[in-house]
Amino acid sequence: MEEEYDLGELPDDVVHMGRFLESAPNWPESAWFGRAMALLHFGTYRVDRFPFEETFENELAAAAALARSFTQLRAAWLVTSHGYLAEMRNLLRSVYESAGLARVLAKEPKMAEQWLRDGRWFPDVRVRQWLSDVRGDSAHEVDKYKNFYVEASAWAHPTAESCMGQITVEDDHFFLNSAITFDQEACQQAVGLLASTALFACFAFRNAVVDERAIDPAWRRDLYDLAREMSNQPMPHLDRDWDAEHAHYDAVMANLRDRRYLKGQLRTHPRAYHNLKPQNSD
């Protein structure tokens, strides 16, 4: 004999999740988010082991920051599915900060060392300054990052815009409403924002590597195709001769040495510690 248990009504956020998961597969934004996350996962976790003696600070720091952006995006999807759309935006600001910082730490070993050893936090204004002073991005491009950060911050902090979602307007009063109700349009827009931020993280990974041609051309081509599809723009600056890109990549891979070779090369360098020690010292 089976016993029956009265579980009561499901919480409204769980009901929201059911309706969200029923509707989301039909949205193009969901497909974009899935494709961007697959690209980001491949790029971020392509190398997942960092031997102590063969890893530099900038490698480890950039990898850790990118990995955090990936997990934050997964958390943002989960939060969105439960109907917490304002909180999702808070997470997306952290994704932007993590991925944006990763591309700087990858190119700046001294900053990476401070970040790892001293627990230094570099605010986004410092990252944007690096984009302008070191990478040479135009003021217009840097302003795009600033504008996104300012808008995301407005949702991360308790501004009227971020808090008023708790209130609905009735005939003659405001109602402080704790219920979570499914709004398909708002959720679809939220997933579109998730996809855009995941795409940004993918480009941050691309910009973190030593050169974009060091990345598998198939990965880059998928990324650029996705960027064009999402923006509905031709984006000619992403045009490449893909046959030439594949030939270059194959040639580089054929000459690539295992990272274990690095340790031996470093020991033969005249300024390596092993060669600077007095002959009779321990």
Side-chain angles (χ1 to χ4, degrees):
M1 178 178 177
E2 289 186 41
E3 295 186 32
E4 293 185 2
Y5 296 91
D6 182 10
L7 299 178
E9 294 184 1
L10 291 172
D12 53 5
D13 66 316
V14 176
V15 174
H16 184 285
M17 180 182 64
R19 296 195 61 186
F20 176 88
L21 295 179
E22 181 181 358
S23 300
N26 300 317
W27 304 335
E29 293 86 352
S30 298
W32 294 339
F33 178 69
R35 288 161 62 186
M37 289 295 283
L39 288 166
L40 183 60
H41 183 273
F42 178 85
T44 300
Y45 295 95
R46 185 70 178 88
V47 176
D48 58 5
R49 286 176 174 79
F50 299 87
F52 295 150
E53 294 185 348
E54 303 156 21
T55 299
F56 294 93
E57 289 89 345
N58 58 323
E59 290 181 277
L60 188 61
L66 277 169
R68 184 161 192 246
S69 73
F70 179 80
T71 57
Q72 286 168 328
L73 280 163
R74 294 182 71 180
W77 171 269
L78 182 62
V79 165
T80 301
S81 72
H82 281 262
Y84 301 106
L85 305 189
E87 286 66 28
M88 174 273 294
R89 289 174 176 265
N90 196 351
L91 280 167
L92 290 192
R93 186 183 78 150
S94 295
V95 174
Y96 166 82
E97 289 181 321
S98 297
L101 179 62
R103 65 188 170 186
V104 178
L105 296 178
K107 302 296 178 66
E108 296 291 338
K110 289 184 178 179
M111 287 180 65
E113 183 175 7
Q114 291 178 316
W115 188 80
L116 285 167
R117 297 181 185 277
D118 303 334
R120 287 288 300 276
W121 171 67
F122 297 104
D124 190 67
V125 65
R126 174 78 180 275
V127 174
R128 295 197 305 270
Q129 193 67 44
W130 180 89
L131 294 174
S132 175
D133 295 348
V134 178
R135 205 173 74 172
D137 286 17
S138 67
H140 176 67
E141 290 296 322
V142 174
D143 280 345
K144 288 182 180 179
Y145 298 122
K146 179 181 178 181
N147 293 339
F148 177 86
Y149 185 74
V150 169
E151 182 179 349
S153 295
W155 282 91
H157 298 302
T159 61
E161 184 178 20
S162 67
C163 293
M164 289 299 288
Q166 314 302 314
I167 291 177
T168 58
V169 180
E170 305 294 340
D171 291 337
D172 60 353
H173 64 277
F174 298 104
F175 177 59
L176 192 60
N177 188 5
S178 65
I180 297 174
T181 56
F182 180 71
D183 183 331
Q184 178 167 316
E185 182 179 358
C187 285
Q188 188 169 354
Q189 290 176 352
V191 173
L193 189 56
L194 276 167
S196 299
T197 309
L199 187 72
F200 166 79
C202 289
F203 275 99
F205 163 74
R206 185 203 66 170
N207 295 335
V209 300
V210 63
D211 187 284
E212 76 161 87
R213 300 184 82 184
I215 305 173
D216 188 335
W219 186 93
R220 289 186 284 129
R221 189 170 189 173
D222 287 346
L223 175 63
Y224 300 165
D225 287 346
L226 178 59
R228 289 189 176 98
E229 185 177 335
M230 289 177 60
S231 66
N232 198 28
Q233 297 293 325
M235 307 184 80
H237 64 287
L238 297 180
D239 289 342
R240 303 288 187 272
D241 180 342
W242 292 112
D243 289 338
E245 294 292 303
H246 277 284
H248 175 86
Y249 182 77
D250 290 343
V252 170
M253 290 298 103
N255 291 312
L256 188 66
R257 292 181 180 271
D258 189 281
R259 68 184 300 150
R260 289 172 294 184
Y261 176 78
L262 176 63
K263 183 177 180 180
Q265 288 294 99
L266 290 176
R267 290 179 67 87
T268 62
H269 193 281
R271 294 187 61 80
Y273 176 74
H274 179 77
N275 298 322
L276 290 175
K277 293 189 301 181
Q279 291 294 326
N280 297 326
S281 67
D282 293 333

